[in-house]
């Protein structure tokens, strides 16, 4: 083995160990194994995410909107998925990020610099990026993430924004992070119009005891904030529940059903949203009742 090769192997091993201490490495390496062939969900909404993190593409008739930015380190896959779906990555005018975590902001820097894509993020997470970039976890990602990116528009609670033919109603639904957004909009296939709903962050990883003590939330207030957020949007009319991660709405199982020629679109279901938000509420209540978490 050449000296250079040995040096390189040493460097790679050190990087692996460094990552392992901070992040579950499996989520950020060998990502091509999680590539998903893009597919049309309904009307102008397409799936261009991987098998873990969702990314939705909306063809607004006046440019493309990406709902979320994909996993850090997976931007080449995102670009490929957009091409494979029959669109051009350079037509992505807007990227709306669900929240400021590494597995959702992957494409932000690249799309902004390469295509001039405007980046949208909930105001509290954007503020954290500005004032406390050290809390963004970007530094935890080693060489996967180079920069804390700039946000072009900070989304506020109740804001309604038009993107081409699609008007999106936004709410801030904090808990998982302070700036998690939720989004609601109409989708049509020309014959039928349904209301889509998206909740931008369900994960409990940031609401467990150790994490909350670490960030100074000794009264665990974040958990009640999360419950309040679920309640806030629970009764929105949602007929098309879009996942933030595939597990939220069984994205891949439904994709299989679509591929198999299922007559009724499995993504269209008027009870799924409420049932899932209730499930998350019950799971949070169980966590709050767990002596080991208090
Ligand atoms: Zn997150």
């Amino acid at each position: 083995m050449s000296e250079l090769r040995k040096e390189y192997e040493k460097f790679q091993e050190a990087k692996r160990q460094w990552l392992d201490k901070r992040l579950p490495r499996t989520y950020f390496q060998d990502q091509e194994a999680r590539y998903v062939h893009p597919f049309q969900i309904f009307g102008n909404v397409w799936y261009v995410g991987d098998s873990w993190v969702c990314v939705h593409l909306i063809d607004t008739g006046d440019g493309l909107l990406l709902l979320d930015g994909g996993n850090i380190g997976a931007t080449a896959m995102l670009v490929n998925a957009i091409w494979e779906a029959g669109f051009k990555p350079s037509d992505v005018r807007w990227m709306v990020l669900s929240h400021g975590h590494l597995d959702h902001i992957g494409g932000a820097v690249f799309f902004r610099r390469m295509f001039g894509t405007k980046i949208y993020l909930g105001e509290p997470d954007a503020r954290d990026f500005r004032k406390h970039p050290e809390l963004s976890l970007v530094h935890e990602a080693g060489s996967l993430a180079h920069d804390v990116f700039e946000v072009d528009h900070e989304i506020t609670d109740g804001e309604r924004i038009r993107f081409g033919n699609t008007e999106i109603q936004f709410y801030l639904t904090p808990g998982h992070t302070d700036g998690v957004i939720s989004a609601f909009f109409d989708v049509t296939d020309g014959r039928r119009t349904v209301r889509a709903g998206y909740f931008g962050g369900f994960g409990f990883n940031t609401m467990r005891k150790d994490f909350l003590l670490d960030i100074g939330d000794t009264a665990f207030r974040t958990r009640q904030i999360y419950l309040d957020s679920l309640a806030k949007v629970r009764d929105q009319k949602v007929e098309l529940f879009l996942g933030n991660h595939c597990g939220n709405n069984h994205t891949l199982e439904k994709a299989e059903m679509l591929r198999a020629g299922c007559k009724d679109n499995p993504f269209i279901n008027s009870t799924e949203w409420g049932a899932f938000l209730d499930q998350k509420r019950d799971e949070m209540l169980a966590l709050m009742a767990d002596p080991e978490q208090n």
Side-chain angles (χ1 to χ4, degrees), residues 99 101 103-104 176-177 205 245:
H99 63 280
H101 280 162
D103 48 336
H104 300 275
H176 176 66
T177 69
N205 53 326
H245 281 275

Side-chain angles (χ1 to χ4, degrees), residues 15-262:
K15 189 173 128 190
R16 272 193 287 273
Q17 288 183 13
W18 191 87
L19 262 177
D20 265 351
K21 269 189 243 143
R22 290 160 179 82
L23 295 163
R25 192 209 313 168
T26 50
Y27 291 134
F28 300 97
Q29 296 209 344
D30 304 326
Q31 295 198 47
E32 61 281 1
R34 289 200 296 269
Y35 186 72
V36 170
H37 293 290
F39 58 93
Q40 186 174 21
I41 292 180
F42 179 76
N44 61 348
V45 177
W46 291 70
Y47 188 81
V48 292
D50 64 29
S51 64
W52 180 48
V53 188
C54 298
V55 182
H56 295 92
L57 179 150
I58 304 171
D59 179 4
T60 74
D62 190 24
L64 306 174
L65 182 148
L66 288 184
L67 190 48
D68 232 5
N71 199 1
I72 205 98
T75 301
M77 282 162 60
L78 177 58
V79 165
N80 194 64
I82 295 168
W83 279 119
E84 194 181 330
F87 298 100
K88 280 165 63 179
S90 57
D91 287 340
V92 176
R93 288 182 64 188
W94 311 279
M95 182 184 281
V96 175
L97 301 171
S98 60
H99 63 280
H101 280 162
L102 284 175
D103 48 336
H104 300 275
I105 64 174
V109 170
F110 175 79
F111 273 78
R112 191 172 191 271
R113 290 186 185 163
M114 182 81 189
F115 307 123
T117 303
K118 298 277 184 252
I119 306 297
Y120 290 59
L121 177 66
E123 189 273 331
D125 279 5
R127 190 179 348 126
D128 272 356
F129 271 31
R130 262 199 326 272
K131 294 190 176 162
H132 300 286
E134 75 279 10
L135 299 178
S136 68
L137 302 183
V138 166
H139 65 295
E140 305 265 336
S143 58
L144 287 173
H146 303 291
D147 294 308
V148 174
F149 56 89
E150 280 176 59
V151 172
D152 297 287
H153 183 92
E154 302 184 4
I155 300 170
T156 55
D157 190 39
E159 196 172 357
R160 194 188 297 250
I161 308 177
R162 176 164 283 283
F163 304 93
N165 60 18
T166 300
E167 186 174 70
I168 304 187
Q169 174 69 59
F170 289 103
Y171 295 102
L172 291 182
T173 45
H176 176 66
T177 69
D178 292 344
V180 169
I181 56 110
S182 289
F184 304 90
F185 54 97
D186 287 339
V187 184
T188 184
D189 68 352
R191 292 185 301 273
R192 183 178 179 197
T193 299
V194 297
R195 189 80 171 157
Y198 177 79
F199 192 96
F202 287 109
F204 288 5
N205 53 326
T206 51
M207 288 176 287
R208 295 190 186 284
K209 181 180 178 179
D210 291 348
F211 186 93
L212 292 178
L213 292 178
D214 215 34
I215 62 166
D217 181 9
T218 51
F220 304 148
R221 286 180 53 248
T222 306
R223 295 170 179 175
Q224 187 57 49
I225 291 170
Y226 176 78
L227 287 175
D228 292 345
S229 290
L230 291 174
K232 177 173 169 180
V233 293
R234 162 65 178 79
D235 291 328
Q236 288 283 326
K237 177 184 159 188
V238 173
E239 299 154 304
L240 173 58
F241 175 23
L242 302 176
N244 180 243
H245 281 275
C246 295
N248 301 157
N249 69 340
H250 308 289
T251 312
L252 302 179
E253 292 83 344
K254 289 175 183 168
E256 259 320 298
M257 290 166 75
L258 277 182
R259 246 187 287 274
C262 175

